[in-house]
Coordinates of all heavy atoms in Angstrom, one line a residue:
L41 N 78.0 114.3 106.4 CA 78.7 113.9 105.2 C 78.1 114.4 103.9 O 78.1 113.8 102.9 CB 78.7 112.3 105.1 CG 79.3 111.5 106.2 CD1 79.8 110.1 105.8 CD2 80.5 112.2 106.9
R44 N 82.4 115.4 102.1 CA 83.2 114.4 102.7 C 84.3 114.0 101.8 O 84.4 114.5 100.6 CB 82.3 113.2 103.0 CG 81.4 112.8 101.8 CD 81.2 111.4 101.5 NE 82.4 110.7 101.3 CZ 83.1 110.7 100.1 NH1 82.7 111.4 99.1 NH2 84.2 109.9 100.0
G45 N 85.2 113.1 102.2 CA 86.4 112.8 101.5 C 87.5 113.7 101.9 O 87.3 114.9 102.0
A46 N 88.7 113.2 102.2 CA 89.8 114.0 102.8 C 90.1 115.2 102.0 O 90.1 116.3 102.6 CB 91.0 113.1 103.0
P47 N 90.4 115.2 100.7 CA 90.7 116.5 100.1 C 89.6 117.5 100.1 O 89.9 118.7 100.3 CB 91.0 116.0 98.6 CG 91.3 114.6 98.7 CD 90.5 114.0 99.8
L49 N 87.4 117.8 102.4 CA 87.3 118.3 103.7 C 88.4 119.4 104.0 O 88.2 120.3 104.7 CB 87.5 117.2 104.7 CG 86.2 116.3 104.8 CD1 86.5 115.1 105.7 CD2 85.0 117.0 105.3
R80 N 85.4 116.4 112.2 CA 85.7 114.9 112.0 C 87.2 114.8 112.3 O 88.0 115.5 111.8 CB 85.4 114.5 110.5 CG 83.9 114.6 110.2 CD 83.6 113.9 108.9 NE 83.6 112.5 109.0 CZ 83.6 111.7 107.9 NH1 83.6 112.2 106.7 NH2 83.6 110.4 108.0
I146 N 87.1 101.1 96.9 CA 86.2 101.2 98.0 C 85.9 102.7 98.3 O 86.7 103.5 98.0 CB 86.7 100.5 99.3 CG1 85.6 100.4 100.3 CG2 87.9 101.2 99.8 CD1 86.0 99.5 101.5
C147 N 84.7 102.9 98.8 CA 84.3 104.3 99.2 C 84.2 105.2 98.0 O 84.0 104.7 96.9 CB 85.2 104.8 100.3 SG 84.5 106.3 101.2
N148 N 84.4 106.4 98.2 CA 84.4 107.3 97.0 C 85.6 108.2 97.1 O 85.8 108.9 98.1 CB 83.2 108.2 97.0 CG 83.3 109.3 95.9 OD1 83.8 110.4 96.1 ND2 83.0 108.9 94.6
T149 N 86.5 108.1 96.1 CA 87.7 108.8 96.0 C 87.7 109.7 94.7 O 88.8 109.9 94.2 CB 88.9 107.9 96.1 OG1 88.8 107.0 94.9 CG2 89.0 107.1 97.3
G150 N 86.5 110.0 94.3 CA 86.5 110.7 93.0 C 86.4 112.2 93.1 O 86.7 112.8 94.2
A153 N 85.0 113.6 96.3 CA 85.8 113.6 97.5 C 86.9 114.7 97.4 O 87.7 114.9 98.3 CB 86.5 112.2 97.6
S154 N 86.9 115.3 96.2 CA 88.0 116.4 96.0 C 87.3 117.6 95.5 O 86.4 118.1 96.1 CB 89.0 115.8 95.0 OG 89.5 114.6 95.4
T159 N 91.3 111.1 93.5 CA 92.6 110.5 93.8 C 92.6 109.1 93.2 O 93.0 108.9 92.0 CB 92.9 110.5 95.3 OG1 91.9 109.7 96.0 CG2 92.8 111.9 95.9
Q186 N 78.9 105.0 100.3 CA 79.7 106.0 99.4 C 80.0 105.3 98.1 O 80.1 106.0 97.0 CB 80.9 106.5 100.1 CG 80.7 107.4 101.2 CD 80.6 106.7 102.6 OE1 80.2 105.6 102.6 NE2 81.0 107.4 103.6
G225 N 91.9 105.3 98.4 CA 92.4 106.6 98.9 C 92.9 106.6 100.3 O 93.2 105.5 100.8
A226 N 93.0 107.7 101.0 CA 93.5 107.7 102.3 C 93.0 108.9 103.1 O 92.7 110.0 102.4 CB 95.0 107.8 102.4
D227 N 92.8 108.8 104.3 CA 92.4 109.9 105.2 C 93.5 110.5 106.0 O 93.6 111.6 106.3 CB 91.2 109.5 106.1 CG 90.0 109.3 105.3 OD1 89.7 108.2 104.8 OD2 89.2 110.3 105.1
N237 N 92.0 104.6 106.1 CA 91.0 104.8 105.0 C 89.7 104.2 105.5 O 89.6 103.6 106.5 CB 91.5 104.3 103.7 CG 90.6 104.7 102.5 OD1 90.4 105.9 102.4 ND2 90.2 103.8 101.7
K238 N 88.7 104.3 104.6 CA 87.3 103.9 104.9 C 87.3 102.4 105.5 O 88.1 101.6 105.0 CB 86.5 104.0 103.6 CG 85.1 103.5 103.7 CD 84.3 104.1 104.9 CE 84.3 105.7 104.8 NZ 83.7 106.2 106.1
A303 N 84.4 104.3 111.4 CA 84.2 104.7 110.1 C 85.5 104.5 109.2 O 85.4 104.5 108.0 CB 83.9 106.2 110.0
F304 N 86.6 104.2 109.9 CA 87.8 104.0 109.2 C 88.6 102.8 109.8 O 88.3 102.4 110.9 CB 88.7 105.2 109.3 CG 88.0 106.4 108.8 CD1 87.3 107.3 109.6 CD2 88.0 106.7 107.4 CE1 86.7 108.4 109.1 CE2 87.4 107.8 106.9 CZ 86.7 108.7 107.7
Ligands
MRU1 O1 83.6 108.9 105.6 P1 84.1 109.5 104.3 O2 83.2 109.3 103.2 O3 84.6 110.9 104.4 O4 85.4 108.6 104.0 C1 86.2 108.9 102.9 C2 87.3 108.0 102.6 O5 87.5 107.1 103.4 C3 88.1 108.2 101.4 O6 88.6 107.0 100.9 C4 89.2 109.1 101.7 O7 88.8 110.3 102.3 C5 90.0 109.5 100.5 S1 89.0 110.6 99.4 C6 90.0 111.0 98.1

Side-chain angles (χ1 to χ4, degrees):
L41 308 201
R44 46 143 301 280
L49 288 174
R80 293 190 76 194
I146 188 169
C147 198
N148 173 266
T149 59
S154 305
T159 62
Q186 290 93 327
D227 289 87
N237 191 49
K238 180 52 58 191
F304 302 96

